[in-house]
Amino acid sequence: MKKTFLTIILCLAGMITVSAQEALWSGTQVQSPVVNPDHTVTFSIHAPKASRVIVTGDFLPPTVVDTPFGKQETAGQAELKEGKNGVWTYTTDALAPELYNYSFVVNGMRILDPANVYISRDVASLTSIFIVSHADGDKGDLYRVNEVPHGNVSKVWYDSPTLKMKRRLTVYTPAGYERGKNYPVMYLLHGAGGDEDAWTTLGRTAQIMDNLIATGKAKPMIVVMPNGNVDCQAAPGEWSRGMYQPSFMASINHTTKPAATMDESFMDIVKYVEVNYKAAKGKKNRAVCGLSMGGGHTFAITKRYPQAFDYVGLFSAGLHISGGDRNASFYDLLQQNAEVQKQLATLFKGNPRLYWIAIGKTDFLYKQNADLRRYLDEKGYRYEYRESDGGHIWRNWRIYLTEFAQKLFK
């Protein structure tokens, strides 16, 4: 009996091994993408029955399309050429240092690169990714894992009495956290469609912070990345709602009004962090920043709690003020809302050490942010402004995080 059982186990093991080998070695062996010594990148895919293969990615000249939110840039595309054994290839021009994303389109069907295991999720879209670096310290180098002391990334649950639910946070603690004293905290907020995973997967937060801290360019700090969707507990598939289809606004319940807004509930997060982590307390030890919707949340949080944060970062902020004419400009809404004017006056009277606004030249939210700057200028409120090329894209937001983090707690 024992001998028969052992024989069955060995047969099953052999079948699994063969199956794994077939998955690994079936068809023509293809490496893709290959970053060449001259910084060009070659893409390849084995598709012998295809009639047309396209690569689409943010390393190609963008296409501008009309959306409900205005004109936006989408990934460009290029044709692959078929070679021997049904392998299609395309080689780019030399690429600048950066993290890039791409997909293949085979006979009209979009797919991931089957030869590349590195992917990221943005809302409900998966793309393959790769990094190009020319030298130590460039953007590509900053976004990759290097031989430096590493911090830790944890997924933790906290209680939000204001929202009446348990919710999940992503928390980065710097290398040596266990041995150190209390650390300042940066609260880093995602955009619409994102969740508490967005900044670590798409934003490369852990790699950026590890590399900046290791080279002395940023102070060791805790980075807290909440879920900004107030009717969700956590990222899709990570809470009791199950494996639902993520949507742009990441909302689950479109009929029931949430118990509170993100800004109303935000101090629940701060209280949890300062009780459960080695977090230095007080305004001078807190920063809050965010992209798009998260920039709007940052704007709302800091005017609601004007004495809570000394460092404020608006990255391509989606600015919003309740009430007023929906067709009015953001500048006019500011002029019409006495309560918001009072809140901003209190905020800037407290002399925050940094109020930082950053946006791309072709961002569809550019006008909103220009309206805010016009208002701040007229009031004589001090802020710093960073304008970059490009639009509403992660390539800009990683830059903004990198630059903002270096300005904190000094």
Side-chain angles (χ1 to χ4, degrees):
M1 179 68 179
K2 289 183 178 179
K3 184 176 180 181
T4 302
F5 180 74
L6 179 61
T7 302
I8 292 171
I9 293 297
L10 290 173
C11 289
L12 287 172
M15 290 171 63
I16 292 170
T17 302
V18 170
S19 177
Q21 288 176 341
E22 285 178 349
L24 184 62
W25 302 115
S26 61
T28 302
Q29 296 179 36
V30 170
Q31 286 186 305
S32 179
V34 175
V35 180
N36 301 307
D38 61 356
H39 311 307
T40 63
V41 178
T42 300
F43 300 91
S44 301
I45 182 170
H46 181 232
K49 297 182 180 180
S51 57
R52 188 185 187 199
V53 180
I54 294 169
V55 61
T56 177
D58 61 356
F59 54 89
L60 294 162
T63 301
V64 179
V65 298
D66 290 316
T67 75
F69 305 98
K71 293 186 179 297
Q72 293 200 56
E73 295 178 350
T74 61
Q77 61 182 42
E79 300 273 351
L80 279 72
K81 292 185 178 180
E82 187 175 12
K84 294 181 179 180
N85 301 319
V87 175
W88 298 69
T89 61
Y90 170 77
T91 298
T92 69
D93 295 332
L95 298 180
E98 186 55 80
L99 182 149
Y100 297 97
N101 64 74
Y102 70 101
S103 302
F104 289 133
V105 182
V106 180
N107 290 350
M109 178 177 290
R110 184 182 298 272
I111 64 169
L112 297 170
D113 185 343
N116 185 358
V117 299
Y118 302 103
I119 61 174
S120 64
R121 177 181 65 85
D122 191 1
V123 193
S125 298
L126 296 175
T127 55
S128 300
I129 61 173
F130 66 96
I131 294 174
V132 174
S133 175
H134 295 187
D136 291 348
D138 65 20
K139 283 190 291 185
D141 184 60
L142 186 65
Y143 301 158
R144 66 187 180 187
V145 178
N146 289 308
E147 195 61 50
V148 298
H150 300 303
N152 291 315
V153 176
S154 302
K155 307 292 183 181
V156 300
W157 290 84
Y158 75 102
D159 182 46
S160 177
T162 310
L163 291 174
K164 299 179 172 33
M165 66 173 77
K166 299 285 186 180
R167 309 190 79 235
R168 196 172 80 145
L169 297 167
T170 299
V171 181
Y172 166 89
T173 50
Y177 168 81
E178 296 79 6
R179 300 186 300 275
K181 296 182 179 180
N182 289 350
Y183 296 85
V185 183
M186 173 170 62
Y187 296 88
L188 181 60
L189 313 182
H190 63 79
D195 48 59
E196 73 275 16
D197 292 338
W199 268 110
T200 50
T201 55
L202 295 157
R204 307 293 284 187
T205 299
Q207 292 82 6
I208 290 171
M209 296 308 301
D210 279 353
N211 291 323
L212 289 179
I213 292 169
T215 54
K217 294 178 180 178
K219 294 286 187 180
M221 67 185 79
I222 299 168
V223 183
V224 177
M225 292 156 275
N227 189 311
N229 308 296
V230 291
D231 58 355
C232 298
Q233 292 182 345
E238 299 295 340
W239 60 299
S240 58
R241 285 285 179 169
M243 297 181 181
Y244 59 89
Q245 180 74 8
S247 64
F248 174 65
M249 295 304 293
S251 180
I252 294 300
N253 193 332
H254 296 277
T255 59
T256 303
K257 185 178 179 180
T261 63
M262 185 63 177
D263 55 295
E264 289 169 341
S265 65
F266 197 76
M267 295 310 289
D268 291 347
I269 298 170
V270 175
K271 290 175 184 177
Y272 172 84
V273 170
E274 293 185 353
V275 168
N276 292 278
Y277 286 85
K278 294 181 178 181
K281 299 179 181 179
K283 177 181 177 182
K284 68 179 182 179
N285 294 306
R286 299 190 197 117
V288 61
C289 57
L291 72 91
S292 194
M293 180 182 77
H297 286 159
T298 298
F299 176 77
I301 289 163
T302 52
K303 65 183 179 62
R304 180 178 291 275
Y305 307 107
Q307 300 302 323
F309 303 92
D310 233 348
Y311 301 88
V312 180
L314 308 183
F315 306 166
S316 309
L319 302 167
H320 174 72
I321 295 175
S322 299
D325 183 359
R326 295 183 62 182
N327 297 317
S329 69
F330 189 72
Y331 175 80
D332 288 339
L333 291 175
L334 285 167
Q335 293 285 24
Q336 295 164 10
N337 195 308
E339 178 62 23
V340 172
Q341 291 181 36
K342 182 179 178 181
Q343 290 174 323
L344 289 173
T346 303
L347 170 63
F348 283 95
K349 185 177 179 180
N351 294 314
R353 297 190 183 188
L354 178 65
Y355 197 95
W356 200 71
I357 302 171
I359 196 163
K361 295 176 182 177
T362 58
D363 196 303
F364 73 98
L365 294 173
Y366 186 92
K367 177 63 165 56
Q368 275 192 5
N369 285 256
D371 283 352
L372 174 60
R373 290 190 292 113
R374 177 185 173 188
Y375 179 84
L376 298 180
D377 288 339
E378 290 177 355
K379 294 294 184 180
Y381 298 153
R382 182 171 56 88
Y383 67 93
E384 292 185 20
Y385 179 59
R386 167 70 156 96
E387 187 170 291
S388 59
D389 292 328
H392 209 69
I393 51 177
W394 273 102
R395 190 181 303 181
N396 272 336
W397 302 325
R398 288 188 291 266
I399 293 172
Y400 301 159
L401 170 61
T402 300
E403 296 183 2
F404 185 72
Q406 294 178 72
K407 296 175 177 289
L408 303 181
F409 313 123
K410 295 183 177 181

